Amino acid sequence: MGYGVDRGSQGQRVEQMARKLRLEAEGGLYHVINRGNYRADIFRSERTKGAFLKCLGEACEKTGWRVHGWCMMSNHYHFIATSPADPSTLKKFLGKLHMTTSKQLNKWDGAGGRKVWFQYWDSQITFERSYLARLNYIHHNPAHHGVVEKAENYPWCSMAWFAQNASPAFVTTVNNFKTDKLEIQDDF
C-alpha cells in the first residue's frame, strides 16, 4: 500500500496510508464517513446542514440506498446505509451528494471551484454487534463531542427520529451497546 498526503487544519503535512480495497455486496450495510477538506468546518449553519440533508435524501432516492442512521457535525458526517441491488452505486451516490453540496456551499461562500470534501471512508458492516455499536456511535456523536448533553436534542442527527420510530426494545439495545471496544472482524 502507498501513502497519501493531506494537510491538517493548520496546514501541516499529514501522511496517510492508502485505503483498503472496497468490498461491495448486494444489500450490504455500510458505515460511511467523510469530512471537510483540510478538516474545514463545512456545516456552519442550519442552512448548510439543511441543504446537506436534502441532498442526502435526493441521492438516496436516485440510487436506491437506504439510510439507517446519520449525524452531521461541523466538519464531518457519518451514516449507515443499506446498498441497493447494485452496491457499486456507492461511488455514484456519494459523487452526486458531494458534487451537489460542494456547488451549493461554494455558491453561498463565494468560493467557486473550492474542493469541499476529502476522500470518503466506508466500511462494510458484516456483524450485528458492529451494526449496533456503530448505530449507537453515530446517534450519540453530538453528545460524545460535547455539542449537546443528550443526542435527542441535536436536530442534525437521527437520534430523535430513531427514539420515536424504532421499537422501544431496539432503542434500548442500541443505546446500551458499548462503542469503546469491539473485538470482531470489522472493528472501527
Side-chain angles (χ1 to χ4, degrees), residues 134-145:
R134 291 175 196 227
L135 196 56
N136 179 328
Y137 179 81
I138 288 171
H139 283 153
H140 291 92
N141 204 252
H144 172 76
H145 287 288

Side-chain angles (χ1 to χ4, degrees), residues 40-154:
D41 285 346
I42 301 296
F43 306 116
R44 295 185 295 264
S45 68
E46 289 188 16
R47 178 180 175 187
T48 58
K49 291 172 185 160
F52 181 83
L53 280 182
K54 181 180 180 214
C55 290
L56 178 62
E58 290 170 355
C60 285
E61 286 178 27
K62 289 181 180 175
T63 59
W65 282 78
R66 190 171 61 87
V67 173
H68 296 243
W70 53 269
C71 179
M72 294 182 321
M73 301 301 287
S74 65
N75 69 349
H76 70 282
Y77 69 80
H78 297 261
F79 67 79
I80 291 176
T82 302
S83 71
D86 180 5
S88 69
T89 59
L90 178 61
K91 186 176 180 180
K92 179 181 175 185
F93 166 57
L94 292 174
K96 173 77 172 153
L97 176 65
H98 294 155
M99 180 188 69
T100 305
T101 55
S102 293
K103 285 181 179 179
Q104 187 64 62
L105 294 171
N106 284 341
K107 180 180 174 184
W108 288 338
D109 292 346
R114 170 187 62 172
K115 183 178 177 186
V116 175
W117 298 105
F118 191 67
Q119 191 173 17
Y120 71 92
W121 175 89
D122 68 279
S123 174
Q124 185 180 14
I125 300 170
T126 55
F127 293 95
E128 182 181 29
R129 289 180 43 180
S130 181
Y131 172 68
L132 296 171
R134 291 175 196 227
L135 196 56
N136 179 328
Y137 179 81
I138 288 171
H139 283 153
H140 291 92
N141 204 252
H144 172 76
H145 287 288
V147 176
V148 291
E149 189 171 319
K150 296 180 110 190
E152 295 89 347
N153 297 332
Y154 187 69

Side-chain angles (χ1 to χ4, degrees), residues 1-8 11-19 35 39 118:
M1 282 192 191
Y3 287 88
V5 176
D6 183 22
R7 299 282 176 197
Q12 72 272 24
R13 184 180 166 101
V14 179
E15 292 187 12
Q16 298 177 335
M17 285 287 289
R19 70 176 62 254
R35 61 177 169 81
R39 295 183 171 86
F118 191 67

